[in-house]
């Protein structure tokens, strides 16, 4: 049996977690081009990873208002702080199908999104990652109240 270095094994685990976690994970560079696209995003959006990588998020999802989204990313890049998009502000950023249409009566997935800075070893922010949570159940309960 091949004995792999612990760092390689941990890297493999990290990749597996990113692909398997029950939330969308996307890395965008400063030009808003996709660098990482996880399995959750493939499953819910229908966009394959190999079709998303190196493409502009605006090319993949032309319904995203560019100027508005760029304003949301500005504090992430300029100040190094998180930014948030909640389903109350905007029901979704990425028009994804609702994967539980029988139990949840919605044509799309409501989303809560966190935009997080990613620092290089020298402290520069050249990319950010988005974490996308399915908030459909919460939105439907809130909207029916």
């Amino acid at each position: 049996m091949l004995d792999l270095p612990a760092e390689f094994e941990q890297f493999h685990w990290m990749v597996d977690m990113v692909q398997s976690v029950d939330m969308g994970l996307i890395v965008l560079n400063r030009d808003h081009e996709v660098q990482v696209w996880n399995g959750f995003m493939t499953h819910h959006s229908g966009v394959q990873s190999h079709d998303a990588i190196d493409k502009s998020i605006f090319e993949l999802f032309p319904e995203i208002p560019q100027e508005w989204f760029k304003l949301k990313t500005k504090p992430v890049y300029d100040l190094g702080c998180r930014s948030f998009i909640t389903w109350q502000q905007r029901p979704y950023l990425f028009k994804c199908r609702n994967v539980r249409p029988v139990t949840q009566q919605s044509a799309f997935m409501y989303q809560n999104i966190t935009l997080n800075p990613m620092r290089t070893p020298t402290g520069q922010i050249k990319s950010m990652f988005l974490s996308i949570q399915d908030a459909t159940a919460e939105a439907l309960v809130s909207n029916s109240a």
Side-chain angles (χ1 to χ4, degrees):
M1 173 116 175
L2 182 62
D3 190 25
L4 299 173
E7 293 84 11
F8 181 79
E9 189 171 11
Q10 288 177 347
F11 175 77
H12 177 75
W13 289 343
M14 294 291 277
V15 170
D16 194 36
M17 284 189 298
V18 165
Q19 288 304 322
S20 302
V21 70
D22 195 26
M23 86 172 12
L25 296 174
I26 301 171
V27 174
L28 298 178
N29 64 19
R30 280 189 175 259
D31 294 326
H32 302 96
E33 295 167 335
V34 174
Q35 305 300 295
V36 172
W37 188 261
N38 80 337
F40 178 98
M41 291 306 296
T42 295
H43 176 70
H44 291 281
S45 73
V47 177
Q48 297 295 317
S49 179
H50 63 267
D51 293 327
I53 302 297
D54 294 328
K55 298 272 184 358
S56 165
I57 201 71
F58 305 120
E59 180 183 340
L60 295 168
F61 295 89
E63 68 272 11
I64 297 174
Q66 288 190 35
E67 292 309 311
W68 171 84
F69 186 71
K70 288 177 181 177
L71 280 174
K72 293 300 278 185
T73 66
K74 192 167 175 47
V76 178
Y77 286 121
D78 293 352
L79 303 174
C81 62
R82 290 175 154 178
S83 185
F84 302 91
I85 303 168
T86 66
W87 68 265
Q88 293 98 332
Q89 297 169 321
R90 181 179 178 82
Y92 58 85
L93 184 62
F94 305 100
K95 185 142 190 191
C96 294
R97 62 191 170 88
N98 178 14
V99 295
R100 295 175 281 218
V102 174
T103 58
Q104 296 179 1
Q105 301 303 312
S106 177
F108 58 87
M109 178 200 307
Y110 287 82
Q111 299 160 7
N112 286 330
I113 300 172
T114 305
L115 292 75
N116 303 277
M118 296 183 74
R119 295 186 188 280
T120 66
T122 60
Q124 295 176 298
I125 301 169
K126 294 185 177 181
S127 301
M128 69 172 170
F129 80 90
L130 286 68
S131 57
I132 299 96
Q133 295 179 304
D134 182 349
T136 307
E138 173 190 350
L140 292 179
V141 166
S142 181
N143 286 339
S144 68

